[in-house]
Amino acid sequence: MSALPAGSRAPAIAQAVSYARDPLGFLAARQRRYGDIFSVNFPFFGRVVYVARPDLVKEVFTGPPAVFHAGEANATVLEPALGPNSVLTLDDEPHMRQRKLLLPPFHGERVERYGELIAETTRKEMESWPIGEPFALRPHTQRITLAVIMRAVFGVHDEARLDRFGRLIDDFAKRVGVITSFPMLRRNLGPGSPWPRFQRSRAALDEFIYEEIRLRRAAPGYEERDDVLSLLLSARDEEGEAMSDQELRDELVTVLGAGHETTATGLAWAIERLVRNPGVLVKLRDSLASGEEDYLAATVKETLRARPVIVDVARKLKAPATVGGYDLPAGQFVLPAIAALHYREDLFPEPERFRPERFLDGKADNYAWIPFGGGVRRCIGAAFAEYEMRLILREFMEGAELRPVDPEPERVRVRNITLAPAKGTMVVAAA
Ligand code: HEM
């Protein structure tokens, strides 16, 4: 078949508005209406194709990386922030080179060396929670994950420098949102307009990062340190080449950008779901009190199923390819619809229910549970993120008694490219 899969004929802008209002519901409803492969017309991107069945997702994730370009697809949104050398915006050989250099520090058990740092940072942040009055949890989870990533990735421990760094990142993150969401704003419309403001905040952040790279290179014995910047400075590719400063900058900003807002939002959702499901909350506390870890791990997985922080991942076809029996042309965007897949009744019975038990027996299927994407582009920080979420959740469970401000679930709101709880997870901590 050479026509594109079925989809709504509504104008692109109307589809974008429906998507922005409720991305979770939007994709699941399209899948129910048009089937497991469907198309959606968006402004700027044109008609894109979504797949929402494990065998189709597998076709996309295991398709030849030279044809299924993720870097090119990501770059349309992320390149102004991350740069041309980021593992997220590259494809083919250059992508694999960066990926191999970046993987070791985030691999499986290696992330456990950050355990004490994560627990300590969490306990310190919890001291600032108000008692007995409503507050939004998300800014707190974000402060924790940001502090962790600044220390774990950059190895910055000096409080004054951390403060300055944190402010630069905050400012940068604020400016990035509008630039990534509205590509048409990427030009100078006057000094106060979004693009020059974004460029100024990027220049300030870059200056700090290049200075950090210079200081670290000059520091005696950095080869012995275990933060990611030091590891990347010592890393060599297969030809024995080190990373250039520009490559280092792009990877560091990538890890910062990809690594703290996502995890903070995942944690905010975990608490948003837990306080509205007291049975699950009690079970989690009891399991932790008896020294049991499996229910905690399952709770994290169920959170990322029911509230995937990222709703879809994109590939742009470099050459024509067949997906689900459709012959798609070069240039076509194809996206596994994470949100639709996670709400399939046949894969996750009673998908609306928050039920960690579904992850207790057996591993999550590679092509059904995909909050971290897949194939050669699967999230490099997945082990780190799940580990960090488990540790922080445990500290929250052991150190505080939380209840929701409103019994109604919080709505989903698009925040940069992530899905966040609309009110930032409003809770009250008991005295
Ligand atoms: C709950 C937290 C997180 C979620 C939901 C998440 C999700 C994702 C997703 C969906 C992708 C795209 C995968 C694809 O295209 O198939 C991705 C890629 C990536 N993530 Fe994460 N991520 C999280 C945390 C992290 C952390 C903590 C780091 C770093 C420490 C990180 C670093 C990256 C990098 C470098 C890539 C690019 C991989 C590549 O293109 O080869 N992420 N992530």
Side-chain angles (χ1 to χ4, degrees):
M1 275 182 278
S2 58
L4 288 186
S8 163
R9 295 272 134 208
I13 191 76
Q15 302 206 38
V17 169
S18 309
Y19 174 92
R21 265 201 202 128
D22 175 19
L24 259 186
F26 177 89
L27 289 175
R30 289 295 180 286
Q31 184 262 332
R32 282 195 296 272
R33 169 129 191 226
Y34 296 105
D36 300 331
I37 176 162
F38 58 90
S39 63
V40 176
N41 196 8
F42 282 132
F44 188 68
F45 295 99
R47 199 162 266 283
V48 306
V49 171
Y50 276 103
V51 294
R53 200 176 66 213
D55 60 316
L56 301 177
V57 169
K58 185 174 181 189
E59 277 185 42
V60 175
F61 281 161
T62 59
V67 176
F68 289 79
H69 267 188
E72 217 181 304
N74 295 336
T76 50
V77 178
L78 300 173
E79 179 157 336
L82 304 183
N85 305 292
S86 158
V87 67
L88 264 163
T89 55
L90 288 166
D91 284 301
D92 304 321
E93 282 297 294
H95 164 255
M96 276 325 273
R97 174 175 186 269
Q98 294 298 321
R99 193 171 161 94
K100 281 185 189 152
L101 289 168
L102 208 54
L103 268 172
F106 293 109
H107 192 74
E109 280 122 46
R110 290 205 69 172
V111 301
E112 289 180 15
R113 68 192 185 284
Y114 301 122
E116 200 35 50
L117 167 68
I118 295 170
E120 225 173 77
T121 311
T122 308
R123 288 193 288 265
K124 204 165 144 215
E125 182 66 27
M126 286 174 75
E127 287 168 15
S128 72
W129 290 4
I131 301 295
E133 41 181 280
F135 70 102
L137 188 69
R138 203 189 163 288
H140 292 274
T141 58
Q142 178 136 339
R143 265 201 295 277
I144 298 171
T145 56
L146 179 59
V148 166
I149 209 121
M150 286 191 302
R151 290 176 167 90
V153 171
F154 285 83
V156 178
H157 293 280
D158 175 278
E159 288 299 326
R161 274 190 84 70
L162 277 174
D163 265 4
R164 194 169 134 223
F165 195 18
R167 275 199 303 278
L168 290 169
I169 294 167
D170 271 350
D171 190 58
F172 182 66
K174 254 187 238 133
R175 311 274 168 230
V176 165
V178 67
I179 293 302
T180 49
S181 309
F182 303 101
M184 54 295 242
L185 292 178
R186 293 176 196 167
R187 58 208 168 96
N188 194 341
L189 301 167
S193 66
W195 182 244
R197 291 174 81 153
F198 162 76
Q199 286 179 310
R200 281 195 296 274
S201 73
R202 183 178 58 188
L205 178 65
D206 285 2
E207 196 188 319
F208 183 95
I209 291 177
Y210 283 123
E211 186 181 58
E212 203 53 43
I213 294 173
R214 259 195 325 274
L215 288 171
R216 190 64 46 83
R217 270 223 177 87
Y222 74 80
E223 299 87 346
E224 312 297 321
R225 296 176 56 159
D226 69 353
D227 57 81
V228 175
L229 169 56
S230 301
L231 293 171
L232 290 181
L233 276 173
S234 320
R236 297 291 175 269
D237 67 10
E238 279 152 6
E239 268 85 55
E241 290 285 326
M243 287 168 93
S244 70
D245 282 8
Q246 174 73 49
E247 286 174 325
L248 278 166
R249 177 269 169 212
D250 288 359
E251 290 324 345
L252 292 168
V253 175
T254 297
V255 169
L256 260 180
H260 84 281
E261 186 157 340
T262 44
T263 317
T265 299
L267 275 160
W269 277 125
I271 295 296
E272 191 278 344
R273 294 290 72 209
L274 280 165
V275 294
R276 285 175 182 78
N277 290 275
V280 177
L281 185 67
V282 168
K283 217 163 158 181
L284 177 58
R285 273 190 204 289
D286 290 351
S287 71
L288 289 172
S290 63
E292 169 60 53
E293 298 270 317
D294 292 355
Y295 200 74
L296 175 64
T299 303
V300 168
K301 289 204 173 346
E302 175 67 344
T303 302
L304 294 171
R305 177 198 70 81
R307 294 293 184 271
V309 175
I310 301 211
V311 264
D312 50 34
V313 284
R315 305 291 184 259
K316 188 173 180 186
L317 297 183
K318 194 68 189 157
T322 304
V323 177
Y326 287 88
D327 297 324
L328 303 176
Q332 178 66 51
F333 281 92
V334 186
L335 299 93
I338 303 179
L341 203 67
H342 286 188
Y343 274 79
R344 284 183 69 115
E345 182 79 46
D346 57 343
L347 299 174
F348 302 102
E350 298 184 272
E352 300 293 335
R353 277 188 64 196
F354 185 67
R355 216 169 58 80
E357 286 75 6
R358 60 176 105 237
F359 289 103
L360 277 183
D361 3 286
K363 240 180 102 209
D365 183 286
N366 274 350
Y367 302 106
W369 181 79
I370 55 163
F372 295 109
V376 294
R377 309 299 300 225
R378 188 171 190 270
C379 175
I380 282 175
F384 184 77
E386 281 193 68
Y387 176 67
E388 188 176 17
M389 283 178 71
R390 288 197 300 272
L391 280 195
I392 297 174
L393 258 191
R394 177 213 290 273
E395 292 297 328
F396 285 179
M397 291 295 109
E398 290 175 353
E401 189 97 31
L402 296 172
R403 61 176 171 79
V405 170
D406 181 345
E408 283 300 305
E410 284 198 26
R411 292 208 0 254
V412 173
R413 190 169 74 90
V414 180
R415 201 190 136 98
N416 294 336
I417 55 163
T418 64
L419 294 196
K423 295 179 180 157
T425 303
M426 288 299 293
V427 286
V428 175

